[in-house]
Amino acid sequence: MIKKCLFPAAGYGTRFLPATKATPKEMLPVLTKPLIQYGVEEAVEAGITTMAIVTGRGKRAIEDHFDISYELEHQIKGTSKEPLLDEIRALINQCTFTYTRQTEMKGLGHAILTGETLIGQESFAVILADDLCYNDGDAPVLKQMVSIYEKYHCSVVAIEEVPADKTDKYGIIAGNLIDGTDDTYRVDDMVEKPNPEDAPSNLAIIGRYILTPDIFDILRNTRPGKGGEIQLTDALLEQAKKGRVIAYKFKGKRFDCGAVDGFVEATNYFYSSFKGC
Ligand code: UTP
């Protein structure tokens, strides 16, 4: 059973400067909800109630968001605005939020290793909140991945096909479809942000993972890779060499809200689907 979800949220969000100078990227709203709240809701729908958040300097707004604001609650109690806090209040009541800080931003792999203290020795989910996933009226992406984990009991990465000229923005996998499936691959190679001519496929890893706890020891021994950062892809490759990584082509949509184009696309999509929410 997956009980904890890790949210690496310490990155600088430079693609959104100056908006992210004093505001965490994860707190940018799509309509009225910050990105990280969508992520927490997705984790809850996958049956997870412990949210482990890796923050950094200047990210305190995330902690305040998942806490009661007594003044505000008092102010709007009994007014027509009170229901606007219903969803976030329900999450606060339902979930436990734990935090640790990454003091040096040495990459996603390093952020995940920083979260070890919040996770311990159990398999766990990872959500990158700037990848906003949505599956219209059906099982959310992380819930689909929990089902895959329950079947194969190894690490699971969510993948989608990307245009060949965009492979240098993602971790790219190579692998073979598992017999009898059309969406589940046993991974045998992965490369971080390859140029199109070096990419082993156009199957890109997006910001949803289920990781087995041996990833922490592997990350501890992973040397800085592309960009001088400790890359999760390099650590996953160690697991993949032992046949211990499944790539799952999820059902649903993904918006890259870490970049302006994807953020605007998500906003337009959610606005036309749920006007006024
Ligand atoms: P990104 O590659 O999107 O980096 O990180 P970023 O710093 O957030 O954004 P840009 O590229 O400067 O605009 C992917 C995820 O990993 C987290 C980020 O917060 C994001 O959720 N991360 C990245 C960390 O927590 N720590 C790091 O050192 C690096």
Side-chain angles (χ1 to χ4, degrees), residues 141 145 148 154-160 171-173 183-185 187 190 203-211 232-233 236 239 244-250:
V141 175
M145 293 173 70
I148 299 287
C154 63
S155 290
V156 183
V157 298
I159 51 166
E160 71 175 13
I172 301 290
I173 67 124
D183 53 13
T184 312
Y185 297 75
V187 177
M190 16 186 37
L203 298 173
I205 303 174
I206 63 120
R208 297 289 181 281
Y209 309 81
I210 293 182
L211 301 175
L232 177 61
T233 310
L236 279 166
Q239 292 186 328
R244 303 284 301 149
V245 179
I246 298 288
Y248 169 65
K249 210 192 273 180
F250 64 93

Side-chain angles (χ1 to χ4, degrees), residues 138-152:
D138 217 333
V141 175
L142 195 62
K143 187 170 183 181
Q144 298 169 39
M145 293 173 70
V146 167
S147 303
I148 299 287
Y149 171 79
E150 284 168 353
K151 197 158 168 199
Y152 297 101

Side-chain angles (χ1 to χ4, degrees), residues 131-198:
D131 263 347
L132 179 49
C133 291
Y134 184 68
N135 190 18
D136 200 0
D138 217 333
V141 175
L142 195 62
K143 187 170 183 181
Q144 298 169 39
M145 293 173 70
V146 167
S147 303
I148 299 287
Y149 171 79
E150 284 168 353
K151 197 158 168 199
Y152 297 101
H153 293 281
C154 63
S155 290
V156 183
V157 298
I159 51 166
E160 71 175 13
E161 288 184 36
V162 294
D165 62 349
K166 296 268 184 325
T167 56
D168 59 354
K169 298 197 164 20
Y170 299 91
I172 301 290
I173 67 124
N176 295 304
L177 272 175
I178 293 178
D179 281 352
T181 76
D182 58 4
D183 53 13
T184 312
Y185 297 75
R186 182 80 64 182
V187 177
D188 47 43
D189 195 11
M190 16 186 37
V191 191
E192 182 64 17
K193 302 192 169 91
N195 291 324
E197 57 276 20
D198 303 324

Side-chain angles (χ1 to χ4, degrees), residues 8-15 25-26 102 105-108 111 128 130:
Y12 291 122
T14 53
R15 284 168 291 169
K25 172 170 72 172
E26 297 74 15
Q102 188 187 15
M105 308 328 161
K106 294 195 217 160
L108 175 59
L128 306 187
D130 49 356

Side-chain angles (χ1 to χ4, degrees), residues 34-50:
L35 288 170
I36 195 160
Q37 185 173 337
Y38 288 94
V40 168
E41 287 173 355
E42 187 182 333
V44 167
E45 288 189 70
I48 297 171
T49 52
T50 298

